[in-house]
Amino acid sequence: MAASTANVEEITRLLEDYLSKLGFEVYPLKVGWYNSVLPPTLRLGYPDDSLAVVVLSTPAMFEEAFLPFMEERGCQGLSDPIDQCVKQCVSSAVSECFPGQKVDVRYDYELLPSRKPKFLAQTAAHVSGAAFYYQQSDVRDQPWADKKMFGVCVHPRFGGWFAIRALLVFGDVTVGSEMAQPLPPDCVPSREGRIQLLEAFNFRWQDWSYRDIVRPVQIYSQKQKDYFSTVPAQRFALLETWSFLSREKDQAQPTSDTQVQVNGHGLSKREEQPQPGSIGHPL
């Protein structure tokens, strides 16, 4: 299916109309923008002119989507409530907005059989113009010698108070040259600011300070902070205190994949605890 700019705008509008009320944002991109900055082993297996859309969750998602999801569903049979809430929201949007159309939906927590991520979340956010992916190479005269510093995305409105959740690839939709690649807003232009950001993210990520590198229009509620500050294995106990479940012997527990997710070049913006020696800090 060929697509004009108007078709891309219509696809984006349909997704926005459905997902924005649940606390998500969507940003279109061309597969070629993403593939051009990655080695062949990490590229998407679609033509460069194929349309993709990256889906972000904003601070509002917790109250607008997650808590209602838990009220309706409870924890019975869930392994990771946040992941399954996001999956329900995104898959429902795709089913309702594009019935019968082929859409390859990839979530930030999914891995290929090779154990590589299905998509690199921060790379997708950067090339779509959604958020600037600050990396060690973006700092002049680096002060860290040979130490590896992991990169992090900053949203122009939410700072670090957001998450990159999914990538939708419309394999049958081809976009022409009329779709120009936007530049992500450079929210942290100074060398000093970038050093502050990367050091806060790499060394003090638990104190949340890196998220406030720019003044956000909205941050996580205290309830949301409490949830994401709790290690994954203990989140069901927290949900129990919120009256979302009764403790049962056979209750599902988080799997190892939901506890830690590593996304290499563009680690996922997951709200999880990092593991010593991991490639990156899942958020």
Side-chain angles (χ1 to χ4, degrees):
M1 178 192 301
S4 66
T5 302
N7 295 138
V8 173
E9 291 174 352
E10 177 66 8
I11 288 170
T12 304
R13 184 191 65 79
L14 288 170
L15 286 170
E16 282 179 343
D17 287 349
Y18 191 100
L19 290 172
S20 63
K21 62 181 180 290
L22 299 174
F24 295 92
E25 291 185 341
V26 299
Y27 294 85
L29 64 142
K30 293 171 72 170
V31 166
W33 304 346
Y34 176 91
N35 284 347
S36 67
V37 298
L38 294 173
T41 55
L42 295 174
R43 293 173 186 167
L44 299 172
Y46 291 92
D48 285 351
D49 286 338
S50 298
L51 175 67
V53 176
V54 65
V55 179
L56 314 180
S57 63
T58 74
M61 185 275 290
F62 196 81
E63 278 72 28
E64 298 298 327
F66 180 65
L67 295 184
F69 172 80
M70 296 304 302
E71 290 280 1
E72 179 181 345
R73 171 71 186 267
C75 287
Q76 186 85 26
L78 295 182
S79 58
D80 187 295
I82 285 285
D83 288 347
Q84 286 163 278
C85 169
V86 170
K87 185 173 184 178
Q88 176 174 293
C89 292
V90 174
S91 61
S92 296
V94 170
S95 297
E96 181 165 319
C97 297
F98 314 107
Q101 187 168 339
K102 182 180 178 182
V103 183
D104 179 2
V105 182
R106 302 176 179 223
Y107 295 98
D108 68 305
Y109 55 86
E110 291 183 317
L111 300 177
L112 298 167
S114 65
R115 307 302 293 171
K116 289 184 173 66
K118 285 195 172 182
F119 82 103
L120 303 186
Q122 298 201 126
T123 300
H126 184 94
V127 300
S128 72
F132 200 109
Y133 180 25
Y134 292 98
Q135 303 178 74
Q136 189 168 0
S137 59
D138 293 316
V139 177
R140 303 184 312 275
D141 303 320
Q142 297 172 23
W144 306 296
D146 295 329
K147 184 174 180 59
K148 170 67 176 177
M149 301 290 285
F150 300 107
V152 62
C153 273
V154 176
H155 190 287
R157 295 175 57 242
F158 300 114
W161 301 95
F162 78 108
I164 306 160
R165 299 294 183 182
L167 183 73
L168 283 54
V169 183
F170 295 78
D172 295 332
V173 178
T174 301
V175 185
S177 58
E178 69 277 2
M179 183 175 174
Q181 182 175 2
L183 293 175
D186 186 356
C187 310
V188 191
S190 72
R191 176 180 179 272
E192 294 73 18
R194 293 177 181 185
I195 291 173
Q196 177 186 348
L197 170 65
L198 293 181
E199 290 187 347
F201 178 66
N202 281 265
F203 305 144
R204 302 180 303 278
W205 65 270
Q206 299 99 326
D207 69 10
W208 310 86
S209 62
Y210 79 89
R211 300 177 186 266
D212 292 318
I213 193 68
V214 298
R215 180 172 294 181
V217 299
Q218 184 182 14
I219 67 172
Y220 291 173
S221 64
Q222 187 58 53
K223 198 166 193 174
Q224 187 170 184
K225 288 181 181 180
D226 292 343
Y227 184 84
F228 289 134
S229 295
T230 302
V231 296
Q234 297 174 11
R235 288 178 182 174
F236 281 105
L238 177 63
L239 290 169
E240 185 180 23
T241 69
W242 295 351
S243 302
F244 283 131
L245 75 159
S246 296
R247 176 66 64 180
E248 297 180 3
K249 291 182 180 179
D250 59 350
Q251 178 183 302
Q253 294 295 332
T255 64
S256 60
D257 281 348
T258 64
Q259 291 175 18
V260 169
Q261 206 55 244
V262 172
N263 271 9
H265 178 272
L267 65 118
S268 162
K269 290 282 295 182
R270 307 253 354 256
E271 309 298 338
E272 305 292 358
Q273 307 295 327
Q275 294 286 319
S278 67
I279 294 177
H281 296 307
L283 302 181

